[in-house]
């Protein structure tokens, strides 16, 4: 109970001061005490009650009704009782809206919009109906509705931002580590926002009358900047700064100009909130996409690591089991040759021995494709050299030059295997189809890993680049690791009739991130 009383007294004092200050600002702008109450003070009450526990509503409404009565006593021409009734009728609307005020920002903003429009309609009905009955001069319907909606669009979302920042944010405990952390102020942002605000005020005050109608277009600049940097919350902040500039520069104007300014404020608020929501949603989606891509890359790396582990185990089992069996078969064939001297037996033993050798050679080739032992024992450079020897590129008239750059840096097993598979597939394609005479393999390791394989062969059409399974497998393996794969090819038959020297061949460029 004591906590409730203290919170009520503190909140009441804060609400009274804020309500009265906003009424003064609105009265300075509208020069009408009744419309000034409907403009900012009513919007403030909507925003605070929508984000406050219902047990404190009695204090908020009591403070507002007391202020209205005090203003009515000070200003004899104030139609206080229609305004008082309009304030009281907003209670059930807010109570009903609180039942649906949860979930994501879109849902909460829709509830805010419904509350603002509903209370604006109540303000129009109460002030117009009871004002005409009491023969009190009232403003047009459109003006009352526009004032209520504009004030709601400006202050209700602002109250939501303050409520979200103060009560829905996880605060870090004040510890020694936090105190020792240096305070980071974004000086550039602060200077930029201050310059935009000052420029807006100068534009509003110093522009000649013939250009004054073009000044509001300049107000879109800070809204766009704030929305781009901070989402719809920043756009709303830009709208508030623009509103201060407009109100400060437009006092004592006609009703028509006031209507134009109110429409401008409403349009700015709606544009800023919707633009900021769109930008914020795009950022959220990009963040989720980046998170999912990062997660997929981690899973893909684990998959490749698991695949290579299985390959290694299978290769080891094949090497141990089949190698021993083939050795035993050859020994038995050799014994058979020595024991049996008939020609048929000798021929069968020789055939058995030759078949065992063929099985051994085939198994050795399969083992090299599954998991090259050279890669584990001697590293990537020697493993690629072994591929060149196995493909017998020199016998085919293909000269291979390798430049490994700064390969002293240790690479992880996944990257090593990927680079080896790419070199293996590329060299295999060159041996089969390129008709090349020179191949250059370059590997450079810095902030990123760059592998380039270039030949001077016949090339192929770019549109047929990834139709084959080999090149498609290279691209998929690289993209899985978050890298880039590009192929540039110059088909020789396109330049056969051109006398000048031209570049021919194919260049494969692989870029992988460092891990």
């Amino acid at each position: 109970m004591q906590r409730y009383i203290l919170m009520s007294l503190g909140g009441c004092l804060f609400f009274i001061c804020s309500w009265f200050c906003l009424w003064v600002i609105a009265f300075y702008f509208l020069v009408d005490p009744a419309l000034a109450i409907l403009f900012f003070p009513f919007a403030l009450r909507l925003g605070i009650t929508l984000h406050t526990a219902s047990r404190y509503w009695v204090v908020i409404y009591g403070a507002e009704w007391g202020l209205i009565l005090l203003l009515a006593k000070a200003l004899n021409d104030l139609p206080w009782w229609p305004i008082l009734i309009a304030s009281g009728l907003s209670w059930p609307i807010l109570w009903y809206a609180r039942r649906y005020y949860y979930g994501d920002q879109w849902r909460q903003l829709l509830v805010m919009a419904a509350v603002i429009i509903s209370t604006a309609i109540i303000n129009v009905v109460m002030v117009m109906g009871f004002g005409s009955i009491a023969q009190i001069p009232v403003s047009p319907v459109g003006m009352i509705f526009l004032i209520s909606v504009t004030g709601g669009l400006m202050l209700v979302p602002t109250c939501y931002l303050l409520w979200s920042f103060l009560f829905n944010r996880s605060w870090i405990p004040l510890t020694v580590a936090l105190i020792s952390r240096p305070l980071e102020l974004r000086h550039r942002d602060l200077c930029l926002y201050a310059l935009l605000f000052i420029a807006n005020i100068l534009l509003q005050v110093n522009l000649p009358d013939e250009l004054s109608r073009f000044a509001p277009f300049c107000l879109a600049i800070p809204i766009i900047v704030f929305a781009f940097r901070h989402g719809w919350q920043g756009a709303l902040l830009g709208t508030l700064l623009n509103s201060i500039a407009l109100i400060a520069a437009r006092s004592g104007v006609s009703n028509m100009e006031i209507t134009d300014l109110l429409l401008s404020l409403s349009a700015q608020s709606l544009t800023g909130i919707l633009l900021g929501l769109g930008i914020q949603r795009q950022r959220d989606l990009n963040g989720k996409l980046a998170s999912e891509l990062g997660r997929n890359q981690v899973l893909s790396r684990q998959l490749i690591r698991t695949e290579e582990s299985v390959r290694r185990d299978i290769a080891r089992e094949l090497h141990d089991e089949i190698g021993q069996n083939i050795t035993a078969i050859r020994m038995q064939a050799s014994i058979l040759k020595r024991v049996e001297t008939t020609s048929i037996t000798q021929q069968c033993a020789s055939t058995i021995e030759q078949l065992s050798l063929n099985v051994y050679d085939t198994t050795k080739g399969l083992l090299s494709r599954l998991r090259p032992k050279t890669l584990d024992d001697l590293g990537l450079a020697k493993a690629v050299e072994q591929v060149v020897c196995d493909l017998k590129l020199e016998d085919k008239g293909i000269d291979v030059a390798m430049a490994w750059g700064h390969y002293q840096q240790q690479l992880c097993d996944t990257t090593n295997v990927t680079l080896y598979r790419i070199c293996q597939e590329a060299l295999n394609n060159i041996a089969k189809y390129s008709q090349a005479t020179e191949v250059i393999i370059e590997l450079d390791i810095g902030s990123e890993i760059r592998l380039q394989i270039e030949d001077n062969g016949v090339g192929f059409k770019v549109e047929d680049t990834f139709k084959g399974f080999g090149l498609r497998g290279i691209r998929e393996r690289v993209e899985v690791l978050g890298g880039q794969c590009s192929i540039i090819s110059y088909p020789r038959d396109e330049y056969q009739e051109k006398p000048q020297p031209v570049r021919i061949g194919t260049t494969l460029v692989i870029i992988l991130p460092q891990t």
Side-chain angles (χ1 to χ4, degrees):
M1 188 62 182
Q2 183 180 2
R3 174 182 172 83
Y4 175 78
I5 294 174
L6 292 176
M7 291 288 292
S8 299
L9 290 176
C12 181
L13 180 62
F14 170 78
F15 180 77
I16 289 173
C17 295
S18 303
W19 195 98
F20 185 74
C21 290
L22 290 175
W23 178 83
V24 172
I25 295 173
F27 181 70
Y28 168 80
F29 176 55
L30 298 172
V31 199
D32 187 318
L35 293 180
I37 294 176
L38 301 178
F39 190 24
F40 284 148
F42 264 31
L44 176 67
R45 186 249 303 147
L46 285 179
I48 291 179
T49 50
L50 193 60
H51 301 95
T52 306
S54 57
R55 62 179 178 272
Y56 296 105
W57 287 12
V58 175
V59 178
I60 296 172
Y61 275 91
E64 182 174 67
W65 294 341
L67 287 169
I68 294 173
L69 292 176
L70 289 175
L71 286 176
K73 185 177 181 180
L75 305 171
N76 295 326
D77 58 344
L78 179 66
W80 58 271
W81 56 279
I83 297 176
L84 206 63
I85 296 174
S87 174
L89 290 178
S90 64
W91 186 309
I93 293 177
L94 287 167
W95 179 82
Y96 185 76
R98 279 295 299 269
R99 299 170 57 185
Y100 301 96
Y101 194 67
Y102 60 88
D104 57 6
Q105 291 182 351
W106 278 101
R107 183 189 181 98
Q108 292 177 332
L109 288 174
L110 288 176
V111 173
M112 291 183 208
V115 169
I116 292 170
I117 295 174
S118 301
T119 53
I121 294 174
I122 289 177
N123 293 342
V124 170
V125 172
M126 291 298 104
V127 175
M128 292 298 296
F130 287 94
S132 61
I133 294 174
Q135 296 182 352
I136 300 173
V138 294
S139 300
V141 175
M143 176 66 75
I144 299 174
F145 182 81
L146 183 59
I147 285 174
S148 302
V149 170
T150 303
L153 288 176
M154 293 175 61
L155 289 185
V156 176
T158 304
C159 292
Y160 166 76
L161 292 185
L162 293 175
W163 170 76
S164 177
F165 179 79
L166 293 175
F167 301 105
N168 282 2
R169 183 174 178 178
S170 300
W171 293 90
I172 303 175
L174 188 60
T175 60
V176 177
L178 182 62
I179 296 175
S180 63
R181 185 183 304 172
L183 181 63
E184 296 181 2
L185 292 177
R186 298 181 178 179
H187 301 90
R188 294 182 180 179
D189 291 347
L190 293 176
C191 293
L192 174 62
Y193 302 154
L195 288 176
L196 289 175
F197 181 56
I198 295 172
N200 278 339
I201 294 180
L202 294 177
L203 282 173
Q204 300 301 319
V205 174
N206 297 322
L207 274 181
D209 294 337
E210 58 271 16
L211 297 177
S212 60
R213 289 187 175 274
F214 297 96
F217 291 100
C218 302
L219 301 177
I221 298 175
I223 294 177
I224 295 173
V225 173
F226 279 53
F228 181 76
R229 297 299 298 271
H230 305 293
W232 76 271
Q233 296 93 334
L236 182 63
L237 177 60
T239 301
L240 293 177
L241 296 180
N242 289 344
S243 304
I244 295 173
L246 286 172
I247 293 174
R250 296 292 191 274
S251 62
V253 294
S254 63
N255 287 338
M256 183 61 68
E257 293 182 351
I258 289 177
T259 304
D260 291 342
L261 291 176
L262 290 173
L263 288 172
S264 176
L265 294 177
S266 301
Q268 286 185 53
S269 300
L270 285 175
T271 303
I273 291 174
L274 294 177
L275 176 64
L277 279 172
I279 294 175
Q280 183 173 335
R281 179 169 176 78
Q282 189 66 31
R283 284 185 173 180
D284 293 343
L285 292 175
N286 289 339
K288 291 180 181 179
L289 179 60
S291 176
E292 289 298 323
L293 287 177
R295 181 171 173 271
N296 290 340
Q297 287 184 8
V298 172
L299 293 176
S300 300
R301 287 180 180 275
Q302 293 178 353
L303 181 62
I304 293 176
R305 194 177 298 114
T306 303
E307 176 189 351
E308 293 300 327
S309 176
V310 172
R311 285 172 176 263
R312 188 188 299 112
D313 294 340
I314 294 175
R316 185 183 300 112
E317 291 295 328
L318 287 176
H319 180 270
D320 294 343
E321 294 295 330
I322 296 182
Q324 294 177 3
N325 292 333
I326 290 175
T327 301
I329 292 173
R330 292 184 62 190
M331 290 179 62
Q332 295 298 323
S334 177
I335 293 173
L336 185 61
K337 279 185 178 181
R338 290 196 298 268
V339 173
E340 298 291 337
T341 57
T342 60
S343 59
I344 297 177
T345 303
Q346 291 287 329
Q347 185 178 358
C348 291
S350 299
T351 303
I352 292 172
E353 189 174 6
Q354 184 61 42
L355 290 175
S356 65
L357 289 175
N358 292 340
V359 172
Y360 178 78
D361 292 338
T362 303
T363 304
K364 184 179 178 181
L366 290 174
L367 292 177
S368 178
R369 293 176 60 184
L370 274 174
R371 179 73 185 190
K373 196 170 184 298
T374 313
L375 182 63
D376 295 327
D377 296 340
L378 302 178
L380 178 61
K382 295 297 182 181
V384 174
E385 292 178 3
Q386 185 62 44
V387 172
V388 174
C389 294
D390 293 341
L391 293 175
K392 300 178 180 180
L393 296 181
E394 291 186 2
D395 297 342
K396 298 177 182 179
I398 302 176
D399 184 20
V400 180
M402 301 182 189
W404 294 104
H406 302 286
Y407 184 63
Q408 293 80 6
Q409 185 175 355
Q410 188 68 25
L411 298 176
C412 67
D413 182 67
T414 303
T415 304
N416 256 335
V417 171
T418 300
L419 294 174
Y420 173 80
R421 298 294 181 197
I422 293 171
C423 293
Q424 185 183 40
E425 182 63 31
L427 290 173
N428 188 44
N429 287 341
I430 291 172
K432 289 182 179 179
Y433 312 114
S434 71
Q435 302 177 21
T437 58
E438 295 180 359
V439 177
I440 301 175
I441 302 176
E442 298 179 359
L443 178 65
D444 187 20
I445 303 175
S447 58
E448 57 186 13
I449 303 167
R450 187 177 189 275
L451 173 66
Q452 178 172 315
I453 303 175
E454 183 179 357
D455 67 66
N456 63 345
V458 296
F460 50 85
K461 295 182 179 180
V462 177
E463 56 268 21
D464 298 333
T465 300
F466 293 106
K467 287 185 178 180
F469 290 103
L471 294 178
R472 189 188 307 168
I474 290 176
R475 182 181 65 177
E476 291 176 354
R477 183 180 284 264
V478 170
E479 290 179 351
V480 155
L481 298 179
Q484 300 175 2
C485 174
S486 60
I487 294 181
I488 304 173
S489 186
Y490 302 91
R492 182 179 295 174
D493 53 1
E494 294 183 5
Y495 307 102
Q496 286 179 352
E497 299 178 358
K498 295 184 179 181
Q500 66 272 19
V502 293
R503 183 179 180 182
I504 58 176
T506 302
T507 301
L508 171 65
V509 179
I510 303 296
I511 297 177
L512 293 174
Q514 276 279 21
T515 56

